[in-house]
C-alpha cells in the first residue's frame, strides 16, 4: 500500500489523484488469503489467513480474539520448516479446541507430526491430529462450523483451490517462490 501511494504521489503531475481518493481506494482493497472470511452455502465458515510468520500469527490471533471471541474454532495449520514454526504454534494453538496439522505443498514444509508436538505443548487441552494432506484434514473437519486455515500462503492457496474460491491453476506461480540458486544456473543467471 505504501509503495502504491508513493507511486501515485510521484506521478501527481501526470495523473492527479486527491488524498481523499487514495484513502477511498485503500479502504476498498481486498487481499485474498489475508483474514478472508468465507461463508459456505451450508453455513460453515472458513477464515483464511497466510499468517506465515510470527508477526502474521500474532495479527491473526488478535483478530480472532477481537472479531470471533465466542467461536468454537478448528485450526488447520501447515507451516514451512524455515519459519519459526514452534513460535507460531505457541501463538495459534491456544485459539482452537481442535487442531489439524497438514503439510504445506512445498519441499520446505514442516511435517504435520513436528507441528502436532509443538501444538500439544502450546495447548494441551486441544484435540490435535496430524494429516497427510489438506484435502484429508478438510474432510475430517467437514462438520466443524468454523475453520481457520493458516500458517502458509501456499497452504491458503491450496485451500482456495480445494474450496473452489480461486480460479488459479495448481502450481501456476508456485515455482517462482521455489526458485533456488541451482535453478539460476539452468536459466543462465
Amino acid at each position: 500500500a505504501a509503495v502504491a501511494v508513493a507511486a501515485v504521489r510521484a506521478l501527481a503531475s501526470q495523473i492527479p489523484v486527491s488524498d481523499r481518493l487514495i484513502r477511498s481506494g485503500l479502504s476498498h482493497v481486498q487481499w485474498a488469503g489475508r483474514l478472508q472470511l468465507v461463508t459456505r452455502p451450508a453455513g460453515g465458515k472458513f477464515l483464511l489467513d497466510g499468517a506465515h510468520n510470527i508477526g502474521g500469527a500474532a495479527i491473526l490471533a488478535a483478530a480472532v480474539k477481537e472479531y470471533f471471541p465466542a467461536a468454537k474454532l478448528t485450526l488447520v495449520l501447515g507451516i514451512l520448516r524455515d519459519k519459526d514454526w514452534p513460535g507460531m504454534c505457541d501463538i495459534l494453538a491456544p485459539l482452537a479446541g481442535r487442531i489439524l496439522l497438514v503439510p504445506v505443498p512445498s519441499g520446505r514444509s514442516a511435517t504435520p507430526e513436528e507441528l502436532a508436538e509443538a501444538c500439544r505443548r502450546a495447548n494441551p487441552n486441544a484435540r490435535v491430529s496430524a494429516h497427510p494432506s489438506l484435502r484429508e484434514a478438510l474432510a475430517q473437519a467437514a462438520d466443524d462450523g468454523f475453520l481457520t486455515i493458516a500458517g502458509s500462503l501456499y497452504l491458503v492457496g491450496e485451500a482456495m483451490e480445494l474450496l473452489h474460491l480461486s480460479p488459479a491453476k495448481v502450481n501456476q506461480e508456485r515455482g517462482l517462490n521455489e526458485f533456488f540458486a541451482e535453478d539460476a544456473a539452468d536459466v543462465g543467471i
Side-chain angles (χ1 to χ4, degrees):
V3 171
V5 170
V8 167
R9 290 193 171 139
L11 296 170
S13 63
Q14 290 92 3
I15 309 170
V17 178
S18 70
D19 284 347
R20 182 184 61 74
L21 285 175
I22 291 171
R23 279 191 298 279
S24 175
L26 291 173
S27 72
H28 291 91
V29 170
Q30 294 183 6
W31 192 349
R34 296 298 182 129
L35 294 174
Q36 179 180 356
L37 183 63
V38 177
T39 302
R40 303 295 286 175
K45 293 185 185 304
F46 292 91
L47 180 63
L48 305 171
D49 193 277
H52 66 283
N53 56 35
I54 292 290
I59 290 169
L60 173 58
V64 166
K65 289 173 187 174
E66 181 175 348
Y67 297 107
F68 309 103
K72 185 177 176 183
L73 187 74
T74 296
L75 177 64
V76 178
L77 187 64
I79 306 172
L80 295 177
R81 176 174 279 121
D82 55 2
K83 303 294 182 172
D84 180 1
W85 55 268
M88 293 169 63
C89 290
D90 287 344
I91 294 167
L92 296 174
L95 299 173
R98 183 176 185 197
I99 305 169
L100 296 90
L101 293 311
V102 300
V104 173
S106 168
R108 297 168 31 224
S109 183
T111 69
E113 294 74 22
E114 291 170 318
L115 297 174
E117 188 176 314
C119 286
R120 284 186 186 104
R121 281 193 306 269
N123 184 352
N125 298 318
R127 293 179 296 144
V128 177
S129 57
H131 299 271
S133 70
L134 177 58
R135 181 181 303 278
E136 201 255 25
L138 291 176
Q140 290 291 316
D143 294 331
D144 293 12
F146 194 107
L147 271 73
T148 295
I149 301 171
S152 166
L153 295 170
Y154 294 128
L155 184 67
V156 167
E158 180 183 13
M160 292 176 78
E161 292 167 7
L162 290 172
L163 299 170
H164 307 289
L165 299 175
S166 171
K169 300 279 190 242
V170 176
N171 294 326
Q172 182 180 15
E173 294 182 17
R174 191 168 291 140
L176 295 174
N177 295 312
E178 295 291 337
F179 193 81
F180 295 102
E182 58 269 16
D183 298 324
D186 293 340
V187 294
I189 297 177

